[in-house]
Amino acid sequence: MEFTLGQLAALLEGKVEGDDSQKVTRLDKIQEGKSGGISFLANEKYEPFLYETESTAVIVSEDFQPVKPFKTTLLRVKDAYLGFTKLLEAYAQLSKAMLVGVEEPSYMHQTSTIGENHYRGAFSYIGKNCQLGKNVKIHPQAFIGDNVKLGDNCIIHPGVKICADTQIGDNCEVFPGAVIGADGFGFAPQADGTYKAIPQIGNVILEDNVSIGSNTTIDCATLGSTIIRKGVKIDNQVQIAHNVIVGENTVIAAQTGISGSTEIGKNCVIAGKAGIVGHIKIADHTTIGANTGISKSIKKSGETHFGYMSMDMKDFLKSYALFKNLDKLEKRVKELEKKG
Amino acid sequence: MEFTLGQLAALLEGKVEGDDSQKVTRLDKIQEGKSGGISFLANEKYEPFLYETESTAVIVSEDFQPVKPFKTTLLRVKDAYLGFTKLLEAYAQLSKAMLVGVEEPSYMHQTSTIGENHYRGAFSYIGKNCQLGKNVKIHPQAFIGDNVKLGDNCIIHPGVKICADTQIGDNCEVFPGAVIGADGFGFAPQADGTYKAIPQIGNVILEDNVSIGSNTTIDCATLGSTIIRKGVKIDNQVQIAHNVIVGENTVIAAQTGISGSTEIGKNCVIAGKAGIVGHIKIADHTTIGANTGISKSIKKSGETHFGYMSMDMKDFLKSYALFKNLDKLEKRVKELEKKG
Amino acid sequence: MEFTLGQLAALLEGKVEGDDSQKVTRLDKIQEGKSGGISFLANEKYEPFLYETESTAVIVSEDFQPVKPFKTTLLRVKDAYLGFTKLLEAYAQLSKAMLVGVEEPSYMHQTSTIGENHYRGAFSYIGKNCQLGKNVKIHPQAFIGDNVKLGDNCIIHPGVKICADTQIGDNCEVFPGAVIGADGFGFAPQADGTYKAIPQIGNVILEDNVSIGSNTTIDCATLGSTIIRKGVKIDNQVQIAHNVIVGENTVIAAQTGISGSTEIGKNCVIAGKAGIVGHIKIADHTTIGANTGISKSIKKSGETHFGYMSMDMKDFLKSYALFKNLDKLEKRVKELEKKG
């Protein structure tokens, strides 16, 4: 995509101080700016780069006063950071909107329907009885099983697998390699030591505005639904087991695992690599630190938990500080024993 | 799939108390039952839902006596829970059996063979010299490399990658996105600080009745075979390194990692997020807790291990209880020192 | 591939003691050798297998003297281990070199180019404006997004997803299911508790000689580049967040996670399941143990860190030894208190 500085100034309600017919095709960091790119300067720490950058243009705030000569062209807006963010969003939206049409070969069963303005990439697969909304983008090699519902404006990235019976709301995005709705891990031990699979015939529901990271796996319910409520954002390589419910606007960072039938409250923040056992409830607004193991329900809203096994964060850090010097504590006890 | 209540009663050797020509297409939880679904009531805790459910039918046990009026139709069987389980299994088997035929485009090299009653989904790939058994289901976008053997009744889900030379027994199921038989992580350090790849030319063997979860990775052996013995069940996002052997009927939960050349015994239970170092042996019937690190061989059968570094579970919990209050212990020592 | 022992002797500058027209097609472990395979004997511990092996041939060193009769044919070389390694590498290179041509259906946009001697597997996808070097092997069902650059001799395995704008140097290998360059996890909290996606418009750069394991995910930068420097080797299921930089020749084992904007030095060794927080720097030549959490920058080169939260390895082990017996320490304190 190519824009003149004049076009960008119109978009951002700003003013070009120089030749507004210059073209840019890229957003750059100011310290790495190259010709053809546009950068921004919002933090004075980065001001020295303004006088050296090779970016074609730099977005600056109304009140910015240069103190040295420079080669780049200034695009002056009310607030440089907000202006750049607006540009970023416009760029991202344009990129998505431009993907329209069907690449061949692709597969969509005759019993399935898809709304207007859609994209279906080559080697994408859509099974039977699916209902896909408008502005839906199904990238190459994505898989949509039978009886899937997908709302408007959803983006299903390359190689995603959405298994049969999954229901997805509007404005959801699923990143490459994620698997939604495959069987949960349910096996009944038999008398002879073998295990027999318990059929997993439930589904997964993703409500509106859900984002699922690359190579994350969300299992279908044994019966009923595994539910990811609206506004939930899940990072890469997260594992969500069968019959879990994740509350509204909860955020889960990479490599976290949540075991079966656990209910996570709304507006929780779960850092990376956390592990949460099955069949418990986590209260709303809970914060769970990185690498933290949670083995019991958290009943009080708003707590911060941390550590190998579910402790209040401050308590854990206090204990860990002593753990680091446990040999010194042991020596003090030995000293006392000698005296005694 | 659609069945009349009469057909289901025949399957379950039960009796419909009402109109047996009513049709159901779905298995529902009783508390979420909707018209067109069939539920079950086995636990008296759920009895109140019977009087409110909109399920078309509910499976109940012989001796169940309703105490209030209800709208649903009862299907009375000897044991409601077993009856429902039977229905679940029949449903799951029917779903699988119905997948037959070849969707185009798909790719199978002319030197490969596949048995009767198979399914090959669109965009599935089968390389050279493969021998695939009967009733095999290769879902869309699955990859089968050269020289792979696959027994009868195997199900290879969408986007699974079975790399060259892998050997798989009968009745195995591999869930979406799993990678079986890619190179192990073997690099020889060189004098200049770089690393040189050590060719990984072994393979992976999955014996009969093995189940592999979504996005799990099992590396091929450097030389020889990485072996997953019969009846092993592996959950999602598990990592099994080169030359590992996992014994019969062992169960491994999500996000666990097992390093190279380790041998796991049979009938072990390994919980989620466990980590096991390389080149050790774990005895039969060992239980390993969630998030547990195992750094040494476990020689005695039947033990339960837990904690950051391989401890007896009771001992770990005892130490952790004191760890939680380590500041109090330190104060007691300080108190003694003052007195001293 | 089939070779006579005579051909192999020529390659290894060795001598066949017997019929050099015998053919082998496989490299075997000596203890598992079968007819048609060639093994090696480098460690005297394995000598007893020589007298029993069914391998067609065994590579031995110049000075090896058998003490019993045997059925196999000896291929005598200067150093048996080096000879076998040379054979392994030749085998691996031959396997790769043999993959040439295009399988249909596959997809490459007309604006993209690919060098001589390439392989494009069935159902592989190459987007717009890509420049792919020579000897590049794009396996079945691999995805290459728009504007990707890929150097010479790269191998992109089945089902890999290389997202738009990624730049990859020469001699890189990406294993099945890995995702390179999908969006980083960046969401700005809003006043009403919801989150708004921060556009991730940067890219990923893999320099020369990089290896990326199966189902690993490397996110694109928010702005600028996530950079994996030359010679880096990354195992399976590793998560690298946006704007991370990994220094030359660093090795990262399976299931490790590195959070956003962290810089890892060169020649570091990071064991499996480690977790490293965002926005820190790790010095060159750092060793990080398995399952270790790193929450602060490591400034001094050459240290070894271990434990739940970033400690010197020896200190952690000392503390953990006392932790294991924390109940005994507590009893000693109690004993002292009684006396006091």
Side-chain angles (χ1 to χ4, degrees), chain C residues 67-84:
Chain C
V67 298
K68 285 208 264 180
F70 52 89
K71 289 181 301 181
T72 188
T73 300
L74 300 186
L75 196 173
R76 205 176 278 275
V77 300
K78 197 159 182 199
D79 178 304
Y81 181 72
L82 291 181
F84 190 73

Side-chain angles (χ1 to χ4, degrees), chain B residues 123 219 255 308 319 332, chain C residues 103 141 236 273 291 323 337:
Chain B
F123 317 124
D219 288 341
Q255 296 183 320
Y308 191 76
S319 287
R332 284 160 63 189
Chain C
E103 292 166 356
Q141 300 148 338
N236 297 349
K273 271 191 188 295
N291 214 354
F323 170 82
E337 286 170 334

